[in-house]
Amino acid sequence: MQQKSKLFLQALKYSIPHLGKCMQKQHLNHCNFADHYYNRIKLKKYHLTKCLQSKPTISELARNIPTRSFSSKDFLPIKQENEKSLSENMDAFEKVRTKLETQPQEEYEIINAEVKHGGFVYYQEGCCLVRSKDEEADNDNYEVLFNLEELKLDQPFIDCIRVAPDEKYVAAKIRTEDSEASTCIVVKLSDQPVMEASFPNVSSFEWVKDEEEEDVLFYTFQRNLRCHDVYRATFGDNKRNERFYTEKDPSYFVFLYLTKDSRFLTINIMNKTTSEVWLIDGLSPWDPPVLIQKRIHGVLYYVEHRDDELYILTNVGEPTEFKLMRTAADTPAIMNWDLFFTMKRNTKVVDLDMFKDHCVLFLKHSNLLYVNVIGLADDSVRSLKLPPWACGFIMDTNSDPKNCPFQLCSPIRPPKYYTYKFAEGKLFEETGHEDPITKTSRVLRLEAKSKDGKSVPMTIFHKTDSEDLQKKPLLVHVYGAYGMDLKMNFRPERRVLVDDGWILAYCHVRGGGELGLQWHADGRLTKKLNGLADLEACIKTLHGQGFSQPSLTTLTAFSAGGVLVGALCNSNPELLRAVTLEAPFLDVLNTMMDTTLPLTLEELEEWGNPSSDEKHKNYIKRYCPYQNIKPQHYPSIHITAYENDERVPLKGIVNYTEKLKEAITEHAKDTGEGYQAPNVVLDIQPGGNHVIEDSHKKITAQIKFLYEELGLDSTSIFENLKKYLKF
């Protein structure tokens, strides 16, 4: 099924450099709405033997990408220890292959994109776009619609699928792990399927049927990571392809969303703090779009439709958090919006789903997950507190008006299916065996007090039977930007670390979105240092409460999270032993002063404008990781970067690494012989993607680095990883 990632849920995937200079892929508050590049995440259980014999996945192929690594050990007089090489550790995987193949092991496979339409399921199988009967979706009986190899791309995969209303056409967006550029193909469905058209650089796209029963494809065109143009096209005997909207403000981007009942196509124009929505009538798609409400600085709104009424999720009014309003579809302006439902303070709206008689809100309140079911006939509200282990939602598209399905997951627990049945008014969970991690691990929710007295939530995982937690290794996660939640999706390597005795701590600092829009506002622009203070307070609180110690503490982040990590390494390096960063944003000042970069103008409301505002410039200088490097002892640092990354330019990462090495060298000379200098590794991967989340090569390199720096035996960790990852 296609993932129902609502407007903001998907939109920021294309806008917000979302991870850093910064990331671009849940949820209604700048960024969650883009949880990496997958339109639908479906997890199936397979025996490992089946997986080992199947065709390689993108993640399997990614581990074969060549790399260039540079280490400070190459030029510093550091005592070398006899550690196993990465290749030797990889050999450990092969030693257990035979044993694992004869034992039924469970594995969770992420399906990139899958959509159900009519009686068929459309998805990728190998290098082909295929479809099969719904009841045969898990079998090998399928029809090939298009071979991706015809596009002559390197390891292409399908990122998104849309089927025309009457199933005459299917459109699929295709990209590679080495680039963010996407190609949209349109396949005519017949006895002999054939590619009807191909459009480069497509961002979002949706089908609408016009009054003459003709399928119309609406799509947005992306250039230099900016998405400003909207097109509509028809195929067959009456081919048309025309641009009908262009956004002229470079700080805004455009995203398309089809309301769940397919009544309206919405054209959403937005930046980090402001949005504007136009409606295309699904019955008359060639008519001019109708404006709902002209953009008002600081006002965000998102639109759904039901029974000639618009339901509008917006932050307008006080408090400036999201609230649900509604108005008649023929009187959409803001003066006609009536308040329908308000959220509690410190509540994050993750998503919204609309049904015939119900509206379902997926919420995060005080770091716990809730589902609120609103009866539209009587305005009743039923609030359901979800299991305390749950840290994230995975939405499920569903056309059945009687049920609302979704999945819950955590960093160490694979997704589990739940269904709310409206008739019974109850939540039902997937039956089957209970995951053993439930009994062998604990999840704790603690708070740290920041310097200004603000309570900062943390989520902690560790083994139930762990003794003397102060002597256990600790891996801290942080992000803190764009109002984006810290990613809490299931990652097999995180589970294996907990099984091996590690403590995992997720610090939900200001600048992120875990506690709503104000939580983001309190950590952006000239309040960025709040996030740094929060991170420092979290680590000190963890140590103070007996969770590990500085010599066993590691810190990890990607993209914009690198700002806080780099700043902490400059200000309080003694709190850490080692750090891993992926595509980190480390040179904030110089990047934000370079307006030739594709995303600088879109980033001004997050970081400020140092080119024209001296206050912003001086403030950025106070925390920018690159600007504050100095001769001192640093934790060891492993950086993964991507050669042609347009979101976080490689130049800034290389400059940071070189300056850091110079400072380490200077400090080593002043300290004298016997000083154990930190190891600094820059691992440059080819390609133009921003983050390859499930690259096995990256995962094993980072874990190997952490184990070596902490002096831990990595034999069992790699054997256990083999149970979950396909090598």
Side-chain angles (χ1 to χ4, degrees):
M1 290 183 178
Q2 160 196 359
Q3 182 188 12
K4 185 201 121 304
S5 27
K6 297 290 188 181
L7 164 61
F8 294 139
L9 198 65
Q10 286 188 348
L12 294 217
K13 147 176 163 179
Y14 301 101
S15 100
I16 300 178
H18 159 140
L19 308 164
K21 158 92 199 122
C22 40
M23 215 177 148
Q24 25 138 12
K25 196 241 89 299
Q26 219 169 49
H27 303 290
L28 225 115
N29 207 317
H30 291 7
C31 283
N32 271 19
F33 297 84
D35 218 357
H36 210 19
Y37 290 102
Y38 304 112
N39 259 80
R40 164 81 170 101
I41 300 178
K42 180 179 181 182
L43 292 101
K44 297 181 178 180
K45 296 178 182 178
Y46 291 95
H47 290 302
L48 184 62
T49 52
K50 178 178 179 180
C51 292
L52 288 171
Q53 296 167 358
S54 64
K55 297 178 181 179
T57 64
I58 293 298
S59 58
E60 290 174 309
L61 298 171
R63 71 187 180 91
N64 294 317
I65 295 175
T67 180
R68 300 201 305 273
S69 297
F70 305 92
S71 169
S72 64
K73 288 183 177 179
D74 295 336
F75 63 90
L76 286 178
I78 304 175
K79 181 180 179 181
Q80 299 282 349
E81 295 184 5
N82 293 324
E83 298 285 349
K84 290 184 178 180
S85 67
L86 178 59
S87 61
E88 289 175 324
N89 279 319
M90 294 296 290
D91 289 341
F93 288 81
E94 301 306 319
K95 292 178 181 178
V96 298
R97 174 185 289 271
T98 304
K99 178 181 178 181
L100 291 170
E101 286 181 339
T102 58
Q103 295 178 354
Q105 301 286 342
E106 286 191 346
E107 181 175 280
Y108 294 82
E109 180 178 74
I110 297 177
I111 308 301
N112 289 343
E114 182 180 286
V115 61
K116 183 182 293 185
H117 190 101
F120 291 93
V121 178
Y122 297 77
Y123 56 98
Q124 180 176 345
E125 180 66 32
C127 287
C128 295
L129 169 64
V130 305
R131 72 174 177 179
S132 64
K133 294 287 184 63
D134 189 8
E135 63 273 12
E136 300 174 354
D138 291 335
N139 300 326
D140 293 331
N141 185 19
Y142 52 79
E143 175 189 8
V144 175
L145 305 178
F146 180 75
N147 188 336
L148 274 57
E149 292 179 344
E150 292 183 25
L151 299 176
K152 300 189 183 306
L153 299 173
D154 183 25
Q155 300 174 6
F157 69 92
I158 298 174
D159 183 46
C160 181
I161 300 171
R162 294 287 188 269
V163 184
D166 58 2
E167 292 191 274
K168 289 182 181 178
Y169 299 96
V170 58
K173 189 171 68 173
I174 299 166
R175 51 183 295 272
T176 72
E177 287 288 4
D178 289 344
S179 174
E180 291 193 33
S182 299
T183 298
C184 179
I185 62 164
V186 177
V187 177
K188 184 177 181 179
L189 300 174
S190 60
D191 292 339
Q192 296 293 327
V194 60
M195 186 174 76
E196 185 83 5
S198 174
F199 304 112
N201 301 313
V202 169
S203 176
S204 56
F205 59 107
E206 297 286 355
W207 288 101
V208 175
K209 181 181 291 297
D210 67 13
E211 57 272 20
E212 296 180 0
E213 298 296 306
E214 188 169 35
D215 295 313
V216 184
L217 180 69
F218 286 78
Y219 65 92
T220 54
F221 179 78
Q222 182 170 292
R223 182 188 294 109
N224 294 327
L225 300 180
R226 295 174 180 173
C227 193
H228 293 153
D229 298 320
V230 186
Y231 289 76
R232 54 190 167 196
T234 56
F235 310 95
D237 297 333
N238 185 27
K239 286 188 177 181
R240 298 172 64 178
N241 187 24
E242 63 181 31
R243 181 179 63 182
F244 71 95
Y245 180 89
T246 297
E247 173 57 40
K248 295 187 170 25
D249 189 329
S251 68
Y252 284 77
F253 69 98
V254 184
F255 186 82
L256 302 179
Y257 170 70
L258 189 66
T259 58
K260 188 172 181 181
D261 61 4
S262 300
R263 181 64 176 82
F264 291 103
L265 176 72
T266 63
I267 303 174
N268 307 277
I269 300 102
M270 62 187 72
N271 64 13
K272 307 298 185 297
T273 61
T274 306
S275 65
E276 175 180 286
V277 181
W278 295 73
L279 295 180
I280 296 286
D281 191 332
L283 302 178
S284 304
W286 299 101
D287 289 350
V290 175
L291 176 65
I292 291 183
Q293 172 58 48
K294 185 177 181 179
R295 64 194 73 171
I296 302 172
H297 181 72
V299 174
L300 290 164
Y301 69 99
Y302 150 77
V303 177
E304 257 292 2
H305 175 265
R306 170 192 172 270
D307 287 352
D308 294 326
E309 286 188 316
L310 300 178
Y311 287 78
I312 302 168
L313 202 54
T314 178
N315 66 332
V316 69
E318 294 295 333
T320 55
E321 297 290 345
F322 278 111
K323 50 195 73 71
L324 190 60
M325 306 227 180
R326 65 180 171 186
T327 185
D330 57 359
T331 56
I334 194 169
M335 71 280 295
N336 301 311
W337 296 0
D338 293 326
L339 182 63
F340 179 60
F341 185 79
T342 58
M343 318 298 166
K344 296 179 180 179
R345 288 186 179 274
N346 296 331
T347 297
K348 165 72 175 279
V349 181
V350 177
D351 206 351
L352 175 152
D353 202 353
M354 188 66 67
F355 295 83
K356 183 178 182 296
D357 298 316
H358 298 85
C359 174
V360 180
L361 290 166
F362 298 87
L363 307 172
K364 182 180 292 184
H365 176 67
S366 297
N367 211 22
L368 294 171
L369 300 186
Y370 292 79
V371 167
N372 278 11
V373 181
I374 305 173
L376 299 178
D378 56 7
D379 294 349
S380 62
V381 179
R382 179 173 174 79
S383 183
L384 303 172
K385 184 177 181 179
L386 299 175
W389 62 262
C391 300
F393 294 100
I394 298 175
M395 304 308 165
D396 199 341
T397 300
N398 178 42
S399 58
D400 182 358
K402 299 179 181 179
N403 302 312
C404 177
F406 57 91
Q407 298 175 66
L408 298 177
C409 65
S410 84
I412 65 171
R413 181 166 174 164
K416 183 173 185 178
Y417 280 94
Y418 287 79
T419 301
Y420 184 84
K421 297 188 176 182
F422 298 116
E424 291 89 338
K426 294 181 180 179
L427 185 67
F428 295 84
E429 65 178 278
E430 174 190 28
T431 58
H433 72 277
E434 188 63 30
D435 194 305
I437 197 73
T438 304
K439 296 181 179 180
T440 60
S441 69
R442 294 184 63 192
V443 55
L444 303 173
R445 287 177 168 82
L446 304 178
E447 290 185 343
K449 286 291 185 183
S450 197
K451 292 179 180 178
D452 59 359
K454 186 69 70 173
S455 295
V456 184
M458 297 183 288
T459 308
I460 301 163
F461 303 89
H462 68 83
K463 287 184 69 174
T464 305
D465 60 358
S466 290
E467 298 180 358
D468 199 356
L469 290 172
Q470 194 171 20
K471 295 182 180 179
K472 298 296 182 181
L474 168 66
L475 179 60
V476 179
H477 298 71
V478 71
Y479 187 71
Y482 301 111
M484 179 180 175
D485 289 10
L486 186 57
K487 297 184 75 171
M488 302 284 283
N489 55 314
F490 172 65
R491 299 301 308 170
E493 66 272 19
R494 304 302 185 214
R495 176 170 181 151
V496 173
L497 286 173
V498 169
D499 285 340
D500 205 42
W502 283 69
I503 304 165
L504 304 185
Y506 290 76
C507 303
H508 311 292
V509 304
R510 280 173 285 184
E514 287 87 346
L515 299 184
L517 294 177
Q518 191 59 48
W519 197 246
H520 171 219
D522 288 344
R524 68 182 185 96
L525 295 176
T526 54
K527 295 183 178 180
K528 275 289 176 186
L529 284 169
N530 284 342
L532 176 60
D534 292 352
L535 177 59
E536 179 183 334
C538 286
I539 295 176
K540 289 182 177 179
T541 298
L542 289 167
H543 293 163
Q545 295 194 18
F547 294 98
S548 195
Q549 53 188 290
S551 63
L552 293 173
T553 297
T554 63
L555 180 57
T556 187
F558 64 89
S559 198
V563 173
L564 297 183
V565 173
L568 185 68
C569 288
N570 288 328
S571 63
N572 285 281
E574 69 281 356
L575 292 176
L576 307 168
R577 177 65 185 87
V579 167
T580 63
L581 297 171
E582 183 174 7
F585 190 27
L586 297 167
D587 190 358
V588 183
L589 183 61
N590 289 324
T591 303
M592 291 307 301
M593 293 185 72
D594 187 352
T595 57
T596 65
L597 294 173
L599 296 174
T600 296
L601 295 178
E602 292 185 18
E603 295 293 290
L604 297 180
E605 293 194 47
E606 180 70 23
W607 308 99
N609 190 346
S611 297
S612 62
D613 191 319
E614 197 66 22
K615 179 182 177 182
H616 287 171
K617 182 177 182 179
N618 292 332
Y619 190 84
I620 291 173
K621 283 183 178 179
R622 293 173 60 188
Y623 68 81
C624 175
Y626 176 77
Q627 297 293 327
N628 291 282
I629 292 173
K630 56 193 173 187
Q632 64 175 3
H633 180 74
Y634 279 88
S636 292
I637 299 178
H638 183 286
I639 301 175
T640 305
Y642 300 93
E643 197 164 26
N644 299 312
D645 191 338
E646 294 182 86
R647 297 186 178 276
V648 178
L650 180 61
K651 178 182 177 181
I653 297 176
V654 172
N655 289 343
Y656 170 87
T657 305
E658 291 177 350
K659 187 175 180 180
L660 180 63
K661 288 179 178 180
E662 291 173 0
I664 290 173
T665 301
E666 184 176 345
H667 180 67
K669 290 179 180 178
D670 294 340
T671 305
E673 294 186 12
Y675 172 65
Q676 185 69 32
N679 185 26
V680 178
V681 176
L682 174 57
D683 183 358
I684 302 176
Q685 299 280 346
N689 207 342
H690 181 60
V691 169
I692 305 177
E693 185 176 72
D694 56 353
S695 165
H696 293 182
K697 180 174 182 179
K698 177 200 71 179
I699 291 170
T700 53
Q702 291 176 346
I703 289 178
K704 178 177 181 291
F705 176 82
L706 294 179
Y707 271 74
E708 285 184 346
E709 294 303 322
L710 270 60
L712 304 175
D713 182 2
S714 60
T715 303
S716 61
I717 185 75
F718 286 118
E719 290 188 359
N720 290 331
L721 265 177
K722 177 66 176 178
K723 298 176 183 178
Y724 296 94
L725 303 180
K726 291 173 285 185
F727 287 89

